[in-house]
């Protein structure tokens, strides 16, 4: 375990199996230096259990960095449920997962991620209180985090357009959106409303038809979406789609999207930078959802206030882009350095009794 290539000093990695429901899950707590380790639960059918472990390790570290960069009083964690889960077992699986989360006594707080819905989290909430992303009341944020994630990505695209194209508006620009799931479709709506032209792809043709009908989007094949002659590429499917090959052939000047772990390798990021393509670090631009979930968990979730916090993603990216240009360092390395600095500062800080580090408060 300790030699695993994706292990990064994780505080805790828990394998969960529940014979009755069939649940198999991994919960990874990367860091609680800034607070309870928060991050969604993904349900995915992995090729091997090892692939699930890698995903949990990488995603939980990403959450530490994401929460630190969003200035949230939360650490980083992530859970993966190994699919497939039979429909008739789903409720029992979610309940068993909630019990496992509960066993961590608030050290890990879960919410939705790919493959998991608000309805699933409502079931998880019957066996643990350490869960976010539940339905919200009027005027409050809560429920599906995706619209907030999409808003943050749109704001981040605007920041990248200011930095790279010296333009303040998206009208007339073209964006290739890879993946039209929860976030991708909301992102299309945001971009369409601001006058951007959309090129889209999804492995599910029904999602492409919907984007064509609602936003006049042009549908292309999933193999060609990243290399479209557009201004911006927005990866909103699963991670690691910016391979070194893709980085060599992307024609857009900006890569800015919602997916976690977009860069398949360190060299993918370097190649983008060498080719003058501005990359918006994924865990900075896609923090809108977790910003919303933190508001919900802390009870500080007036929708207008949460929206303003999401919009601050633009300023954060401005600062990263400026520092990258000034120091001639690639944007994702700037973000990693900033995030690591915040985490190590928090680790050496001993909080006052009852201070922000108390785990079970949110
Ligand atoms: P989702 O599962 O609703 O959507 C993913 C979409 O991508 C699906 O429509 C799927 O058919 C499509 N897809 C899968 N492989 C594809 C491929 N090779 N080419 C084109 N389309 C493909 O997931 P969701 O919630 O929209 O998340 C998208 C990404 O954003 C994920 O990487 C997720 O981790 C990340 N993210 C999501 C957040 C949220 O609030 N939902 C928050 C932060 C990050």
């Amino acid at each position: 375990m300790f030699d695993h290539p994706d292990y990064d000093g994780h505080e805790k990695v828990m394998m969960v199996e529940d014979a009755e429901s069939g649940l198999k899950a991994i919960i990874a707590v990367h860091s609680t230096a800034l607070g309870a380790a928060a991050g969604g639960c993904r349900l995915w059918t992995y090729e091997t259990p090892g692939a699930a472990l890698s995903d949990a390790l990488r995603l939980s570290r990403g959450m530490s960095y994401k929460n630190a960069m969003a200035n949230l009083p939360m650490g980083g964690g992530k859970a993966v449920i190994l699919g497939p889960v039979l429909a008739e077992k789903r409720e029992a699986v979610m309940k068993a997962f909630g019990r496992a989360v509960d066993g961590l006594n608030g050290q890990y707080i879960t919410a939705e991620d790919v493959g998991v819905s608000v309805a699933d989290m409502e079931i998880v909430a019957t066996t643990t209180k350490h869960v976010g992303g539940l339905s919200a009341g009027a005027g409050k944020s809560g429920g599906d985090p995706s619209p907030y994630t999409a808003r943050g990505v749109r704001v981040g695209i605007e920041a990248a357009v200011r930095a790279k194209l010296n333009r303040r508006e998206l009208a007339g620009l073209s964006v290739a959106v890879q993946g039209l799931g929860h976030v991708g479709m909301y992102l299309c709506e945001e971009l369409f409303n601001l006058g951007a032209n959309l090129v889209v792809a999804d492995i599910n043709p029904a999602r492409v038809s919907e984007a064509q009908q609602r936003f006049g989007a042009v549908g292309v094949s999933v193999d060609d979406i990243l290399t479209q002659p557009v201004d911006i590429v927005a990866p909103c499917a699963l991670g690691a789609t910016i391979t070194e090959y893709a980085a060599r052939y992307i024609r857009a000047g900006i890569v800015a999207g919602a997916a976690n772990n977009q860069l398949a390798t360190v060299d993918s990021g370097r190649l983008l930078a060498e080719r003058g393509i501005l990359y918006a670090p994924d865990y900075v631009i896609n923090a809108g959802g977790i910003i919303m979930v933190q508001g919900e968990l802390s009870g500080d979730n007036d929708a207008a206030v949460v929206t303003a916090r999401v919009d601050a993603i633009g300023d954060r990216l401005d600062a990263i882009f400026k520092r990258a240009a000034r120091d001639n360092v690639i944007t994702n390395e700037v973000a990693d350095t900033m995030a690591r600095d915040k985490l190590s500062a928090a680790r050496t800080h001993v909080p006052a009794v009852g201070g922000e580090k108390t785990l079970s408060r949110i």
Side-chain angles (χ1 to χ4, degrees):
M1 177 69 225
F2 299 109
D3 297 328
H4 192 288
D6 296 312
Y7 177 73
D8 176 53
H10 289 69
E11 291 177 18
K12 187 172 282 182
V13 182
M14 190 164 97
M15 313 291 159
V16 185
E17 181 155 15
D18 177 66
E20 208 175 316
S21 63
L23 168 75
K24 278 198 171 75
I26 300 168
I27 302 177
V29 172
H30 176 257
S31 168
T32 57
L34 287 164
C41 168
R42 175 171 293 192
L43 195 166
W44 195 251
T45 302
Y46 293 91
E47 281 185 13
T48 60
L53 176 62
S54 287
D55 217 23
L57 292 174
R58 294 183 69 196
L59 291 166
S60 57
R61 185 183 67 169
M63 288 309 301
S64 290
Y65 286 18
K66 183 188 298 200
N67 294 338
M69 287 303 286
N71 295 327
L72 299 175
M74 301 195 304
K78 201 89 183 183
V80 298
I81 295 179
L82 283 70
V85 170
L86 299 174
E88 62 269 26
K89 290 277 184 189
R90 196 163 179 115
E91 185 175 348
V93 160
M94 291 298 158
K95 282 188 174 160
F97 173 68
R99 284 194 296 276
V101 171
D102 208 55
L104 289 169
N105 292 319
Q107 208 174 22
Y108 167 65
I109 299 174
T110 197
E112 297 90 352
D113 192 59
V114 175
V116 173
S117 65
V118 175
D120 291 323
M121 283 300 132
E122 304 271 354
I123 299 170
V124 171
T126 62
T127 50
T128 183
K129 63 177 189 225
H130 305 295
V131 52
L134 308 174
S135 311
K140 299 287 182 186
S141 66
D144 179 10
S146 309
Y148 289 87
T149 305
R151 184 182 174 104
V153 173
R154 187 263 294 166
V155 166
I157 288 175
E158 287 172 331
V161 163
R162 284 195 297 276
K164 175 75 189 169
L165 305 176
N166 201 17
R167 282 181 60 151
R168 306 200 76 78
E169 289 183 355
L170 298 185
L173 294 180
S174 50
V175 188
V177 181
Q178 179 192 41
L180 299 167
H182 287 85
V183 183
M185 198 65 87
Y186 282 119
L187 177 65
C188 285
E189 189 174 4
E190 295 255 354
L191 298 172
F192 172 74
N193 288 340
L194 292 169
N197 301 313
L198 300 170
V199 183
V200 298
D202 196 293
I203 49 176
N204 179 348
R207 305 297 286 176
V208 175
S209 302
E210 185 182 335
Q212 285 171 322
Q213 278 159 23
R214 290 176 60 197
F215 315 121
V218 175
V220 298
S221 93
V222 292
D223 294 331
D224 296 333
I225 186 71
L226 294 177
T227 51
Q228 290 298 303
V230 290
D231 299 297
I232 300 134
V233 162
C236 297
L238 293 185
T241 59
I242 311 295
T243 57
E244 289 168 33
Y245 180 85
R248 279 195 191 92
Y249 291 100
I250 284 174
R251 290 198 261 173
I254 294 168
V255 173
N260 283 311
N261 298 332
Q262 285 168 40
L263 301 174
T265 66
V266 175
D267 282 340
S268 311
R270 288 205 191 106
L271 278 165
L272 289 180
E274 273 165 30
R275 296 190 55 232
I277 298 168
L278 184 64
Y279 171 66
D282 44 16
Y283 58 82
V284 181
I285 193 172
N286 72 12
I290 196 71
I291 290 171
M292 182 221 88
V293 168
Q294 192 273 336
E296 179 194 346
L297 289 165
S298 64
D300 180 15
N301 63 337
D302 177 83
V305 173
V306 172
T307 301
R309 281 188 209 131
V310 172
D311 289 352
I313 287 173
D315 296 341
R316 234 161 266 143
L317 284 169
D318 282 341
I320 291 170
F321 295 150
K322 283 203 182 95
R323 189 162 150 182
R326 186 196 68 195
D327 299 347
N328 201 18
V329 179
I330 63 180
T331 52
N332 45 308
E333 286 178 5
V334 170
D336 284 357
T337 304
M338 289 168 85
R340 277 196 292 264
D341 286 350
K342 280 171 186 261
L343 288 174
S344 53
R347 259 182 228 119
T348 49
H349 169 73
V350 180
V353 175
E356 287 296 343
K357 272 186 68 165
T358 310
L359 298 182
S360 54
R361 276 196 351 185
I362 54 173

